[in-house]
Amino acid sequence: MPDPVLVLIAADPRHTHRANEGMRIGLGIVAGENDVTFVLRGPGVHLLDEDTDDLVDGDDIAKFRANLRRLDIPFHVEASDIPDDPSWNADGHPVRRLTRADVIDLVRAARRVLAF
Amino acid sequence: MARVLHLWKSGADTQLVADTIATQLDAGDSVTLAVLDGVPPATRSGVVIRRLDADLTYRELVELIFGAEHVIPW
């Protein structure tokens, strides 16, 4: 099995469309029957905020999150960037917590890296 | 030993890039950092740094991309 494609999202969805674009492009790669790993770090973790109305392209973010959940694709999140807000990831999307070293290992192991 | 090419643009995470490069060097990879714009992160010795429009043309950048086994655009 080929190594996964890594979609690394650090862009802030509260301020830029790039975070949603990363998720959308990653979903497109998934549709091509590729193994894709989604990593959220820095302000990119806000893609899992409860209230998507405050996010740029929030409707699309909600839709794409639901698609990923239906496909059983988790988000890998750098643990130190997870917000204290208890409403973060209120939908309970599967999340795998990573250390910085884990993120680096994923970057090195990926077949291709897309950073947003 | 892999030939790795990092494409650096301003706004990327300086520390993550530097840490990734350090890990690759420790693993024995051959690492080149192509700076497209901005100020790249400080890196250890052993990294080949090329700057677009300074000592790297677009043609040479394309050659670096196709010559690398692993390209990481930041």
Side-chain angles (χ1 to χ4, degrees), chain A residues 5-9 22-23 26 29 36-40 114 116:
Chain A
V5 173
L6 180 69
V7 175
L8 180 67
I9 302 174
M23 199 160 53
I29 298 170
V36 179
T37 301
F38 288 85
V39 172
L40 306 181
L114 303 177
F116 296 88

Side-chain angles (χ1 to χ4, degrees), chain A residues 41 100 104 107-108 110 113 115, chain B residues 13 16 19 24 27 29 70 73:
Chain A
R41 56 180 309 278
R100 170 59 64 94
I104 292 170
V107 169
R108 294 188 64 230
V113 177
Chain B
D13 186 318
L16 178 58
D19 289 346
Q24 290 164 333
D29 292 341
H70 196 189

Side-chain angles (χ1 to χ4, degrees), chain B residues 41-73:
Chain B
T43 56
R44 287 166 25 190
S45 63
V47 179
V48 175
I49 299 177
R50 304 281 299 277
R51 180 176 283 279
L52 191 63
D53 292 336
D55 61 353
L56 180 69
T57 65
Y58 271 106
R59 177 184 289 270
E60 289 168 336
L61 174 61
V62 171
E63 290 172 359
L64 283 178
I65 290 170
F66 281 106
E69 292 163 84
H70 196 189
V71 180
I72 305 171

Side-chain angles (χ1 to χ4, degrees), chain B residues 1-58:
Chain B
M1 185 178 90
R3 286 190 308 279
V4 182
L5 175 66
H6 292 263
L7 304 178
W8 169 269
K9 289 183 70 174
S10 57
D13 186 318
T14 302
Q15 195 58 55
L16 178 58
V17 175
D19 289 346
T20 302
I21 289 175
T23 303
Q24 290 164 333
L25 290 173
D26 287 341
D29 292 341
S30 168
V31 179
T32 298
L33 175 63
V35 181
L36 306 185
D37 66 25
V39 178
T43 56
R44 287 166 25 190
S45 63
V47 179
V48 175
I49 299 177
R50 304 281 299 277
R51 180 176 283 279
L52 191 63
D53 292 336
D55 61 353
L56 180 69
T57 65
Y58 271 106

